Amino acid sequence: MKNLTKYTFLFFLILYVRGITFGQVAPTLGEIIKYSTFTISGNISNTGISYSIGDVGTNAGTISGFSYNINGTFHDTDPSSALASTDLVNAYNNLGTQISTSTLGTTLGNGQTVTPTVHLVSGNTLLTGNLTMDAQGNPNAVFIIKINGNFNVATASSIQLINGAQACNIFWRVSGTITVGNSAQLIGNYFASSSINMGVGSTIEGRLATTNGPITLNASTINLPYGCGLATLQGPVMPYVGSLGCFSIFNDNGSIKNTGTTTITGDVGTNSGIVDGFDTAGVNGMIHYTPDAWTIQGEIDNIALLNELNAYSCDIELLEPNLLGYGLRLTPHTYCLGSNTHLSDTLYFDAQGNPDAIFIIQIGGNFDANSYSNVVLLDSAQAKNIFWVINGNVGIAPYSIFRGTIIAANGAESILENVFIEGRILSHGGAIKTRDINMVLNETPNIITPDGPLTFCLGDSVVLTGPESPSYLWSTGATTQSITVFTTGRYSVQVIAPCNNMASNIHVDVTVIPAPFYNVNVSICQGDSTLVNGVYRKTAGFYDQVFPMPYGCDSISRTTLIVNPIYLTNLTAEICQGESILLGGLNQTTAGIYFDTLSTNKGCDSVLRTTLIVNPTYLTNLTVEICQGESILLGGLNQTTAGIYFDTLSTNKGCDSVL
């Protein structure tokens, strides 16, 4: 028992030592996780337009040079920066205590590949060319590079990730300064004990942080990495659109006027005003010239949407409303701009892979977009999930590309020639003017939506869902919004459209590809075997072989194996001792079991089994005495001479007995 305890202790001691040696662990980031750029003590300064997804902060210094918008919040000596200071020190010290298992040279890159572990560089280090981080298929792999000195990155150097490596799991601990050359592309969390200087056009997917020293940016890009504890962004709750779902242009209390050739997908209408100048050929929807049931409900929903959008709490304030755009990348949040806002150049909406992510932009004044301004969707972002609530006038200049739902609280809206809009224009109390625009509703309610392909294999199915409607009548007779279809055919549904712009009967065609079934019967006799689907089989049953076809369907070849039984007939035959009978092809005289093939059943021999019984002949011995000169009848004669005489006395099952 003592030895067992000793060995158990040694076993866990080995595991513990190995855990220290090889188990590099990502440090806990705490408050630092939300910062793209942070220093405990030092200034943060910028030259040019730098981009940041994440907060920027210092706990003892100033922030300057950001005369544009960042996708984050500035923190200058506040509770968040104080907490981040503590968490940065803890993370920096944690990285320092982890034992290295690899030693790297002071020149990194030039096609070099490193794997997950704790790497040590003994002095001042230069990164030049390309450095590859190989996670070897483990997305949770952690890389720690500890540099005992300054870290310099040459111009245009880069870090690349392969085999599941993640930027959030890469940590650089530098006991000195970090200097990054122009146009370098870096990945990971960079924690330095002194200053950090970024070259012109340099980019980092990760974080920059220093425990004691300034950080200088120069038209740089620093974006927080996905994953590793950074929550996936959903954004605010999707606001309720209601009956506005199929309106492209709607005004609950004002006119709508168009000039020139405008093409629109969706309804156009007002509940109080005039609709004028639209060519019905260019409107793929209904034009509500006068108030009706749809516009009455539209006004109710429009006012409710406006109030709901204004009620959302602001996540991030964009401090430079006149400089919206210029490559700014927005993520799912509620953004607010406190005054008149001007959009120029390009504005990105990045859903970070979440197609349901919501974006809300609250503008506290007028909004206008320059000519050739462009709203671009990234990584699954959808125009239907973007909402602009404008508390003033709206103007979009020619040749702009705009996406999202615009709702103006009480100002006029003017959309000029050659503007493309994917979304809606809504107004509460101000006139809407359009001229030679192209507008696409980013929701298409007048369709049947399948949950999969409309062409599929026999045995599969597809669920068809009709558009939002108070009632449904399918060609199958169903009255639910969705039906499940298993067979080929045209399936249609009659609906009442929310804005009366849809055909009352819409349809889809479903094609079911039958799986050909081939059946072959094979017969064998009991005890035999035959080759079926590459295997010798002797048991009756169904044996299927599948062959692929187009659309992923399979055809089936079924072999039905029939095993014909061998019939066994039992007979009993009797003979007398000394006689013979023909059994098994021979004259048999001995009792036993003999087999004969007598007939065939579907090609299978039947067997006759005969049990032969040999009945014995019984011999009775008697002694008879007479006097000389006398006689006695024996063997059918009067005998006078001494001797042995035989008489047949009786029968036993047909066999004579002898006296």
Side-chain angles (χ1 to χ4, degrees):
M1 184 65 183
K2 289 182 179 180
N3 287 337
L4 178 60
T5 302
K6 177 179 68 175
Y7 293 137
T8 302
F9 171 78
L10 289 174
F11 173 75
F12 284 104
L13 179 61
I14 291 170
L15 289 182
Y16 174 74
V17 172
R18 290 189 61 182
I20 293 176
T21 304
F22 302 106
Q24 70 276 8
V25 178
T28 300
L29 297 182
E31 187 74 0
I32 285 292
I33 201 168
K34 72 179 189 178
Y35 282 88
S36 66
T37 308
F38 181 77
T39 176
I40 294 176
S41 179
N43 299 329
I44 298 178
S45 59
N46 173 73
T47 301
I49 297 179
S50 292
Y51 301 100
S52 172
I53 294 181
D55 291 358
V56 175
T58 176
N59 198 45
T62 61
I63 301 173
S64 62
F66 292 88
S67 57
Y68 54 90
N69 295 296
I70 67 165
N71 186 0
T73 301
F74 292 109
H75 298 273
D76 188 349
T77 315
D78 61 13
S80 176
S81 67
L83 181 57
S85 297
T86 300
D87 292 336
L88 176 58
V89 169
N90 291 337
Y92 186 84
N93 291 339
N94 175 276
L95 292 170
T97 59
Q98 298 201 40
I99 298 174
S100 60
T101 59
S102 165
T103 300
L104 301 176
T106 55
T107 299
L108 303 177
N110 294 319
Q112 179 182 13
T113 297
V114 296
T115 54
T117 190
V118 180
H119 302 277
L120 176 65
V121 185
S122 61
N124 294 337
T125 303
L126 172 66
L127 170 63
T128 181
N130 296 328
L131 176 66
T132 300
M133 303 287 197
D134 183 358
Q136 300 177 325
N138 179 10
N140 297 316
V142 175
F143 301 76
I144 297 174
I145 302 93
K146 301 197 302 183
I147 298 176
N148 289 338
N150 300 324
F151 183 36
N152 294 318
V153 179
T155 297
S157 297
S158 67
I159 294 176
Q160 300 174 351
L161 306 182
I162 62 173
N163 296 326
Q166 296 192 76
C168 55
N169 279 328
I170 299 172
F171 296 89
W172 299 79
R173 182 187 187 275
V174 180
S175 301
T177 64
I178 297 176
T179 303
V180 180
N182 297 343
S183 303
Q185 298 178 350
L186 301 184
I187 293 176
N189 301 278
Y190 293 82
F191 299 158
S193 64
S194 187
S195 63
I196 299 177
N197 297 284
M198 298 291 290
V200 177
S202 55
T203 66
I204 290 184
E205 182 185 355
R207 297 174 178 86
L208 296 176
T210 175
T211 60
N212 184 23
I215 299 177
T216 302
L217 306 179
N218 194 340
S220 306
T221 299
I222 307 99
N223 292 328
L224 291 178
Y226 295 165
C228 304
L230 190 64
T232 300
L233 295 177
Q234 177 67 39
V237 176
M238 178 72 173
Y240 179 70
V241 175
S243 62
L244 302 171
C246 57
F247 275 103
S248 285
I249 303 177
F250 180 77
N251 196 336
D252 63 47
N253 187 23
S255 63
I256 303 174
K257 181 176 179 60
N258 176 71
T259 56
T261 303
T262 288
T263 59
I264 294 177
T265 299
D267 282 10
V268 177
T270 177
N271 198 46
S272 178
I274 297 173
V275 179
D276 184 47
F278 290 93
D279 184 349
T280 56
V283 179
N284 184 13
M286 181 178 180
I287 301 177
H288 301 259
Y289 291 102
T290 57
D292 55 25
W294 314 110
T295 63
I296 292 172
Q297 186 62 47
E299 178 174 357
I300 295 171
D301 293 337
N302 197 48
I303 294 172
L305 176 62
L306 176 64
N307 292 333
E308 183 178 0
L309 291 172
N310 276 321
Y312 281 98
S313 298
C314 179
D315 296 329
I316 297 175
E317 183 179 5
L318 300 178
L319 300 176
E320 299 292 338
N322 284 324
L323 297 174
L324 184 62
Y326 297 102
L328 177 64
R329 188 165 62 160
L330 302 181
T331 47
H333 285 99
T334 298
Y335 295 90
C336 53
L337 301 98
S339 59
N340 295 340
T341 299
H342 186 77
L343 173 64
S344 298
D345 193 61
T346 305
L347 178 66
Y348 296 96
F349 286 88
D350 183 356
Q352 299 182 339
N354 181 5
D356 297 321
I358 308 299
F359 305 79
I360 294 176
I361 301 92
Q362 300 169 334
I363 297 176
N366 300 327
F367 172 75
D368 65 279
N370 262 358
S371 293
Y372 299 97
S373 58
N374 190 5
V375 174
V376 177
L377 306 180
L378 298 176
D379 207 357
S380 301
Q382 299 191 69
K384 68 177 183 178
N385 293 334
I386 301 171
F387 295 86
W388 303 74
V389 53
I390 317 294
N391 289 286
N393 299 321
V394 176
I396 301 180
Y399 301 99
S400 295
I401 298 174
F402 195 86
R403 290 179 169 90
T405 294
I406 300 175
I407 181 167
N410 47 35
E413 298 181 65
S414 176
I415 318 298
L416 299 182
E417 64 269 17
N418 296 306
V419 168
F420 171 79
I421 293 183
E422 182 184 4
R424 301 181 184 88
I425 303 171
L426 309 176
S427 179
H428 172 61
I432 299 175
K433 295 182 179 180
T434 60
R435 185 171 72 209
D436 293 316
I437 71 168
N438 181 9
M439 191 167 185
V440 177
L441 185 65
N442 47 46
E443 296 173 276
T444 309
N446 56 331
I447 60 173
I448 294 174
T449 304
D451 71 343
L454 293 174
T455 300
F456 52 85
C457 306
L458 183 66
D460 292 338
S461 63
V462 64
V463 176
L464 304 179
T465 301
E468 291 294 332
S469 173
S471 65
Y472 304 89
L473 178 60
W474 290 88
S475 53
T476 62
T479 57
T480 55
Q481 185 176 4
S482 299
I483 61 171
T484 302
V485 171
F486 298 90
T487 57
T488 296
R490 172 165 288 184
Y491 296 87
S492 60
V493 61
Q494 294 182 3
V495 296
I496 299 174
C499 301
N500 203 30
N501 71 320
M502 293 187 282
S504 63
N505 194 320
I506 50 182
H507 70 268
V508 294
D509 293 313
V510 173
T511 302
V512 179
I513 301 174
F517 186 86
Y518 305 97
N519 196 1
V520 178
N521 294 330
V522 176
S523 297
I524 60 172
C525 299
Q526 185 179 351
D528 292 342
S529 64
T530 187
L531 190 66
V532 178
N533 298 344
V535 178
Y536 282 96
R537 305 181 189 276
K538 59 181 180 181
T539 305
F542 302 107
Y543 299 94
D544 294 339
Q545 190 168 9
V546 177
F547 299 94
M549 294 173 56
Y551 295 97
C553 302
D554 294 328
S555 66
I556 298 175
S557 174
R558 169 169 289 181
T559 300
T560 302
L561 182 60
I562 302 169
V563 179
N564 294 311
I566 295 175
Y567 295 99
L568 182 66
T569 303
N570 288 310
L571 294 179
T572 301
E574 296 186 24
I575 62 173
C576 297
Q577 185 177 354
E579 295 179 347
S580 66
I581 187 172
L582 185 65
L583 294 173
L586 296 174
N587 287 315
Q588 308 292 344
T589 60
T590 306
I593 297 174
Y594 300 92
F595 295 92
D596 284 280
T597 301
L598 298 179
S599 61
T600 59
N601 174 40
K602 297 182 179 179
C604 302
D605 292 334
S606 294
V607 175
L608 174 65
R609 183 173 71 177
T610 302
T611 302
L612 179 60
I613 301 172
V614 178
N615 294 312
T617 57
Y618 295 97
L619 179 64
T620 304
N621 290 311
L622 294 177
T623 301
V624 179
E625 296 183 5
I626 62 173
C627 294
Q628 188 175 4
E630 293 179 345
S631 66
I632 188 171
L633 184 65
L634 297 171
L637 296 174
N638 287 315
Q639 306 293 341
T640 60
T641 307
I644 298 173
Y645 299 93
F646 297 93
D647 281 281
T648 302
L649 299 178
S650 63
T651 61
N652 175 33
K653 297 184 179 181
C655 300
D656 293 337
S657 294
V658 176
L659 176 64

